[in-house]
Amino acid sequence: ADDGTVCRVEAPDRVTLQIPGLLAGTYRITTFNTEAGIVEARFNAVNAQGPLRFEVPVVRDLAVAIRPAAQADGSLRVNG
């Protein structure tokens, strides 16, 4: 925008994220709108082998939390 701010968009872009190093399993994904300070979405993604892949809509800023779906404490298990 002319005032130096990021232009707002009507429709979000779809972005595919790839997270390497996670064990096979189901992960709980939570996305946050950092500008509004709210949770945008919660969904599960399955990692059979290789990087965990999932798609999220992005309008401006977005934060993503990833945890094993069956794990309540929120810690993350990483290979290696």
Side-chain angles (χ1 to χ4, degrees):
D2 291 336
D3 65 359
T5 61
V6 176
C7 293
R8 293 193 184 270
V9 294
E10 295 299 319
D13 289 327
R14 301 291 300 178
V15 176
T16 300
L17 300 178
Q18 296 185 57
I19 313 299
L22 299 178
L23 298 173
T26 301
Y27 289 85
R28 185 70 172 163
I29 312 298
T30 304
T31 63
F32 301 89
N33 177 321
T34 59
E35 185 177 14
I38 60 171
V39 171
E40 289 268 318
R42 290 186 176 100
F43 58 93
N44 287 342
V46 177
N47 181 30
Q49 77 180 54
L52 176 68
R53 290 182 177 92
F54 56 92
E55 191 174 275
V56 293
V58 178
V59 175
R60 288 181 68 149
D61 292 329
L62 183 75
V64 178
I66 303 168
R67 72 179 80 194
Q71 198 167 347
D73 68 6
S75 61
L76 200 62
R77 295 175 290 164
V78 178
N79 287 333

